Structure formats: structure tokens, C-alpha cells
Amino acid sequence: MGFPGTWMTSSESVVYRVVPKCACSTIGQIMYYSDHGEFFEGDIHDAKSGMHKWAMDDSQAPITRNVQGHQSYAFTCVRNPYTRVLSSFFDKICGIQRNGRRYRGNLVPKLTYEYGIEVGGDDGKQEFDQIRSFRRFLLFVRDTVRYRRPMDPDIHWSAMSGHVSTFIWNGGKYDKILWTESFNDGMADVLSAIETPHPIDLTAIPRFNESEGHGPKRAHPVEDYFDDLSMHLIYEIYKRDFELFKYDFEDPSNKMPIGEIDLDEVHAKLGD
């Protein structure tokens, strides 16, 4: 299997396991800047040079050597499951992607037909019942994760623990798991532990939210989207995420973690 979703700076100063919808665009740009003294022009996910990515054949050998030998500091980043799945809905389901099309081609028409999900107009301005459509989307997410139908779970809403675990299975070890919600503090810990060819001033780094503006704005507070049934589905899908990464399942309005991540626990439970 190797190390899917793993990025490494060209200088091998640091290794990062990407978790979609968890500040990955900003982290990638910080890594790129740390080597080159400038940001990648465009979406860092499109970069085909200037850093190692597992998806590029030439990068797989150096990533494997580095990770299995734990030669560089390795980290990943996680996010509250409530806000992450909401972000996936508004970006990937309701939004128009940067190629000008709907995400995954016929996915949205399929969801409209099979689940009754509404997404608004292509201009993102047409009103629709966001709460009702999101709750129906959650049923679809549960079906993909639990039953792998009508498709396998998408990387943007599959459990974070699944992404994090592949790094461990194949011999990787994390030095840090940071929270999106306290990004600067966590990223400062990462940067203080490594040597970068170019210094990074986190206070001056823009947030590279590549999904910003793709879809309609969220019209309600987070907690309004989750009734008892929705919370039951969320726990069924993301139970391990809440437990390992110390998020508050009981209160959807609390996006902040409620405890410290235990790296030994993460390695033990996700290394099975």
C-alpha cells in the first residue's frame, strides 16, 4: 500500500500526511515556502514539482526510505468531525469546483434522485433548505462508509482516522497531530522542531482555503444542522475520530477539542 496522501519537502525537512478538509492547502503551501522562499502559484494540490508527493512515482522511493527510517519529523492535522462533514457538503456537494463543474460529474444528480438532496443553483445563490439537504447527505455518507454503496466513501468525508492510519500501518510514526482549530499553535510546534531553508512567519501566512467560494455560505450555526438522528449518524461514522482526536461529540456547537491527543494511543489503536 505504501504511503498514500503523504507529502514531503524536497529538502526532507518534514513529512506530512494529508487529511482532506483539514487545512491541507495551507500546510502544503507552508511546506513549499519553507524550501523555496515563495508560495506555489495556484492550488498546491496541483503542484507536480518542488516537493515530494506519494502520487508522483519518483517521490515514492524517497518517501518510503524517509518514513520507514523516521528520518524526518512527521505530522498530520485533524478537524472537528461536525465542521468537517459540513464543509464537505457545502464545498463538494453544493459547490462548483475550480474546473467549473460539479464534483465527480454525475454525483450530484444521483444524490438528487436517490436521496432528495437539493444544492441550489450553479451560481450558488439559489435558496434551498440547507438543513434538510445536509441531513439527507448524512444518510448518503453513512451508506458509503458503512455499506460502500452507492459508492465507496469519498476521501473528503471518510473518517480522519482512516487517513491517519495508513501512515502507521506501513511503518510510519507521527511526532505531532495538530488541530485545525488551533492551527497556529500546532504549526508553530512543527516549525520549531525542524530546520527549514527559509524561515516561516506564521502570523504573515495567508490561509489557502481552496474551497472558499465554491458553494453557498452556511446559513445557520453548526448545531442547527444536527438533530438527534444526525448526531447518531455522525457518531456511527466518526466515533473513532471523536475519541482519538479528543473532540466533543455531545455538543456540536463546541468545535474545540476537550483533551490532549495521546500519540501512543493513536499509534496503538490505528496500527492494528
Side-chain angles (χ1 to χ4, degrees):
M1 178 185 237
F3 298 97
T6 298
W7 294 354
M8 180 173 71
T9 51
S10 297
S11 65
E12 301 195 20
S13 60
V14 70
V15 174
Y16 162 56
R17 203 309 180 186
V18 177
V19 178
K21 308 303 294 179
C22 300
C24 47
S25 295
T26 299
I27 292 171
Q29 288 283 12
I30 289 173
M31 292 171 66
Y32 190 92
Y33 187 98
S34 73
D35 265 1
H36 305 289
E38 61 183 9
F39 297 116
F40 177 75
E41 188 172 341
D43 188 338
I44 191 64
H45 293 83
D46 295 334
K48 298 292 193 291
S49 63
M51 65 190 306
H52 289 294
K53 296 179 177 180
W54 184 259
M56 301 188 301
D57 290 343
D58 291 346
S59 293
Q60 293 187 0
I63 287 175
T64 300
R65 168 185 48 75
N66 187 299
V67 173
Q68 290 185 341
H70 200 189
Q71 296 170 0
S72 300
Y73 190 94
F75 76 103
T76 190
C77 182
V78 294
R79 181 179 183 181
N80 185 296
Y82 284 115
T83 58
R84 180 172 178 260
V85 74
L86 267 174
S87 176
S88 294
F89 172 68
F90 283 105
D91 173 18
K92 298 302 176 186
I93 304 303
C94 301
I96 303 299
Q97 305 310 295
R98 63 180 187 272
N99 62 8
R101 303 188 187 93
R102 291 284 183 186
Y103 183 59
R104 297 182 69 149
N106 66 350
L107 175 60
V108 170
K110 185 181 184 72
L111 294 183
T112 300
Y113 178 75
E114 295 188 7
Y115 289 85
I117 293 172
E118 299 174 330
V119 297
D122 287 350
D123 59 1
K125 297 178 181 177
Q126 181 179 323
E127 294 294 325
F128 66 102
D129 190 328
Q130 292 186 359
I131 291 174
R132 183 177 65 182
S133 285
F134 171 72
R135 290 175 180 174
R136 292 180 177 185
F137 168 69
L138 270 187
L139 289 171
F140 163 71
V141 170
R142 189 277 309 271
D143 289 348
T144 66
V145 171
R146 184 80 182 269
Y147 307 112
R148 309 191 82 82
R149 68 178 194 222
M151 56 181 274
D152 284 349
D154 185 271
I155 61 171
H156 297 91
W157 55 77
S158 59
M160 295 179 292
S161 52
H163 293 286
V164 171
S165 67
T166 62
F167 190 81
I168 301 170
W169 290 346
N170 294 291
K173 183 176 177 62
Y174 293 106
D175 297 289
K176 176 78 175 179
I177 298 177
L178 60 103
W179 295 299
T180 305
E181 293 78 15
S182 54
F183 181 81
N184 275 13
D185 290 343
M187 201 67 211
D189 289 344
V190 173
L191 293 173
S192 67
I194 66 176
E195 293 185 10
T196 61
H198 295 272
I200 302 287
D201 179 1
L202 280 174
T203 62
I205 297 288
R207 289 294 176 265
F208 292 88
N209 185 355
E210 298 298 342
S211 64
E212 184 71 27
H214 283 184
K217 296 288 186 184
R218 176 162 55 83
H220 310 281
V222 169
E223 59 270 25
D224 287 5
Y225 291 86
F226 298 95
D227 59 2
D228 287 346
L229 175 59
S230 303
M231 290 179 67
H232 174 81
L233 292 174
I234 285 287
Y235 196 64
E236 182 180 346
I237 300 164
Y238 302 118
K239 177 177 184 289
R240 185 169 263 190
D241 288 355
F242 282 106
E243 292 175 348
L244 287 178
F245 306 130
K246 310 304 180 186
Y247 285 108
D248 186 357
F249 164 72
E250 300 293 341
D251 183 4
S253 70
N254 177 26
K255 69 178 184 179
M256 299 303 293
I258 54 176
E260 293 298 321
I261 295 174
D262 183 334
L263 285 176
D264 289 337
E265 179 188 24
V266 171
H267 286 108
K269 292 187 174 178
L270 296 186
D272 295 341

